[in-house]
């Protein structure tokens, strides 16, 4: 009899613990859903804005990539190959941006919340994260390319082969692959109230990779800065002679250097603006107020359009390739071509 009573007490205790645990889990789940819904309503308008923005960037950069690839001359030129890689990177970013926004909207429409596992978030953010990292890597490669062209012009023209460019592009892709693999091995099945590129893996890995990306960007800016100074010094030595000065500008490809530096500077500026907003947002104690500030950090994606415009208006061959590509479209077949006058880019990217 006593044994039965003890067993009954134990069963009741276990049942009570299960009920308490279920109540706790239900409460946590309700809080997670509430947080998810709150975040969604804050960024809802941005999601709707990101889709058309992503489509515009995807079409612009995708078309630019195709224009270079299908241009028999430009695709054999080293610097244009890197410019093409940069355009492809922004195309991938745009695709990821669209997928992320659509995924968020679909989840909310189906489940009335945006709760997602970290593993699924990792998959959803892969395109966006890969593209952004490729943008940073390719900007660094273009900086190194220009640096070599200025410091060792003879070696650059005679010994720097096209296969070497393909090799460094391969290493950039390998870096991205290793980065994603590192995140993959630190992914868990925890539930997230919302999915962003900063939440698709463990916090430590994400911060570590952010630091590496920032270091690469700083190195890129420093390389451009030092190279531009070197060009200015060389031009200063011949500025008295107009003919020699013009010849030096052509040999040093100063306009191409400034164009690529301007592109990197614009990206760094928008990125810095995003970091400042994120820092300000992190000081807010209320998470919803914090998100209202941090959401505008998405301005970084506008650089996909800025990059295209910089290349289009400052690089004549790039513009010419775009027009040639447009001419292949039947409706635009009679599009008038602007005569291309040989410029410093003609030899700069050979």
């Amino acid at each position: 009899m006593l044994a039965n009573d003890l067993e009954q007490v134990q069963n009741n205790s276990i049942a009570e613990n299960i009920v308490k645990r279920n109540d706790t889990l239900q409460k946590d789940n309700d809080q997670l859903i509430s947080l998810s819904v709150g975040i969604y309503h804050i960024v809802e308008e941005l999601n709707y804005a990101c889709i058309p923005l992503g489509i515009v960037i995807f079409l612009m950069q995708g078309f630019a990539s195709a224009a270079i690839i299908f241009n028999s001359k430009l695709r054999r030129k080293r610097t244009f190959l890197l410019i093409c890689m940069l355009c492809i990177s922004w195309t991938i970013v745009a695709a990821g941006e669209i997928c992320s926004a659509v995924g968020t909207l679909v989840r909310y429409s189906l489940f009335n919340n945006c709760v997602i596992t970290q593993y699924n978030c990792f998959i959803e953010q892969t395109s966006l994260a890969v593209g952004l990292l490729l943008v940073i890597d390719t900007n660094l490669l273009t900086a190194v390319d220009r640096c070599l062209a200025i410091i060792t012009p003879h070696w650059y023209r005679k010994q720097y082969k096209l296969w070497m460019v393909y090799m460094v592009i391969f290493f950039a892709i390998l870096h991205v692959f290793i980065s994603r693999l590192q995140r993959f091995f630190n992914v868990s099945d925890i539930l997230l109230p919302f999915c962003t590129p900063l939440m698709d893996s463990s916090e430590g890995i994400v911060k570590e990779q952010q630091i590496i990306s920032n270091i690469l960007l700083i190195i890129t800016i420093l390389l451009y800065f030092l190279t531009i100074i070197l060009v200015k010094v060389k031009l200063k030595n011949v500025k008295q002679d107009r003919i020699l000065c013009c010849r030096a500008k052509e040999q040093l490809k100063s306009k191409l250097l400034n164009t690529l530096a301007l592109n990197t500077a614009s990206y760094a500026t928008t990125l810095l603006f995003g970091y400042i907003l994120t820092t300000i947002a992190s000081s807010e104690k209320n998470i919803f107020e914090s998100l209202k500030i941090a959401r505008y950090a998405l301005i970084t994606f506008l650089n996909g359009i800025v990059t295209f415009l910089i290349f289009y208006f400052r690089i004549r061959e790039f513009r010419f390739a775009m027009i040639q590509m447009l001419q292949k479209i039947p409706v635009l077949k009679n599009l008038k071509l602007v005569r291309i006058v040989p410029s410093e880019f003609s030899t700069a990217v050979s």
Side-chain angles (χ1 to χ4, degrees), residues 62-347:
F63 191 82
S65 306
I68 295 174
I69 291 170
F70 289 107
N71 189 298
S72 58
K73 292 182 179 179
L74 294 188
R75 67 169 177 256
R76 295 193 184 98
K77 297 179 183 293
R78 293 180 290 266
T79 305
F80 260 106
L81 196 58
L82 293 174
I83 290 174
C84 179
M85 187 63 192
L86 189 59
C87 293
I88 292 172
S89 301
W90 276 113
T91 305
I92 297 172
V93 170
E97 187 181 349
I98 295 168
C99 289
S100 180
V102 170
T104 300
L105 294 172
V106 169
R107 271 196 304 278
Y108 188 81
S109 64
L110 292 176
F111 308 111
N112 292 323
N113 64 73
C114 298
V115 175
I116 186 174
T117 63
Q118 192 175 60
Y119 177 77
N120 288 334
C121 181
F122 171 84
I123 295 173
E124 185 178 293
Q125 295 296 327
T126 292
S127 176
L128 182 58
V130 165
L132 289 173
L133 192 52
L134 275 176
V135 167
I136 292 175
D137 285 357
T138 310
N139 275 322
L140 176 59
L141 294 180
T142 55
V144 172
D145 177 84
R146 287 298 87 204
C147 191
L148 290 174
I150 300 300
I151 296 175
T152 58
H154 180 76
W155 179 87
Y156 184 86
R157 288 195 299 268
K158 302 296 182 181
Q159 299 182 36
Y160 187 41
K161 305 299 182 183
L162 196 61
W163 66 266
M164 295 181 183
V165 181
Y166 284 113
M167 186 63 69
V168 294
I169 289 175
F170 169 77
F171 283 123
I173 295 172
L174 183 63
H175 170 230
V176 173
F177 177 76
I178 292 173
S179 173
R180 293 308 292 171
L181 205 61
Q182 188 181 18
R183 287 201 182 195
F184 175 76
F185 286 121
N186 287 275
V187 169
S188 64
D189 283 328
I190 61 171
L191 292 176
L192 302 173
F194 205 78
C195 181
T196 70
L198 300 178
M199 300 173 70
D200 67 349
S201 188
S202 67
E203 186 178 355
I205 294 298
V206 172
K207 285 184 176 179
E208 178 186 321
Q209 292 187 357
Q210 270 192 305
I211 291 171
I212 293 172
S213 295
N214 292 340
I215 291 172
L216 292 177
L217 187 59
I218 291 170
I219 292 172
T220 303
I221 294 170
L222 288 175
L223 278 175
Y224 275 125
F225 182 72
L226 294 173
T227 308
I228 289 172
I229 289 177
L230 182 61
V231 169
K232 295 293 183 184
V233 170
K234 289 186 176 183
L235 290 177
K236 188 177 180 180
N237 295 332
V238 294
K239 70 175 183 178
Q240 302 298 333
D241 191 320
R242 184 174 295 181
I243 296 176
L244 286 177
C245 186
C246 291
R247 190 176 298 170
K249 282 184 178 180
E250 184 179 347
Q251 290 175 346
L252 295 172
K253 323 306 174 194
S254 60
K255 189 176 180 181
L256 176 61
L257 173 64
N258 291 334
T259 298
L260 295 172
L262 178 63
N263 169 63
T264 301
S266 67
Y267 179 68
T269 302
T270 54
L271 205 62
L272 179 62
F273 181 74
Y275 285 154
I276 292 172
L277 285 179
T278 305
T279 303
I280 295 172
S282 62
S283 64
E284 287 284 342
K285 294 182 179 179
N286 187 307
I287 186 171
F288 296 116
E289 292 299 322
S290 175
L291 284 169
K292 286 179 181 178
I293 300 172
R295 60 182 175 174
Y296 295 109
L298 290 172
I299 194 174
T300 305
F301 296 123
L302 287 174
N303 200 254
I305 296 175
V306 174
T307 296
F308 176 86
L309 294 177
I310 288 173
F311 289 158
Y312 185 83
F313 288 107
R314 288 185 60 88
I315 302 180
R316 192 179 292 117
E317 284 80 359
F318 181 88
R319 186 164 60 251
F320 181 67
M322 294 287 293
I323 296 173
Q324 277 190 324
M325 192 68 180
L326 284 170
Q327 277 196 317
K328 295 180 180 180
I329 302 174
V331 180
L332 303 173
K333 194 171 183 179
N334 296 323
L335 185 69
K336 186 178 179 181
L337 276 173
V338 179
R339 181 175 175 269
I340 300 299
V341 180
S343 69
E344 62 179 80
F345 299 107
S346 301
T347 53

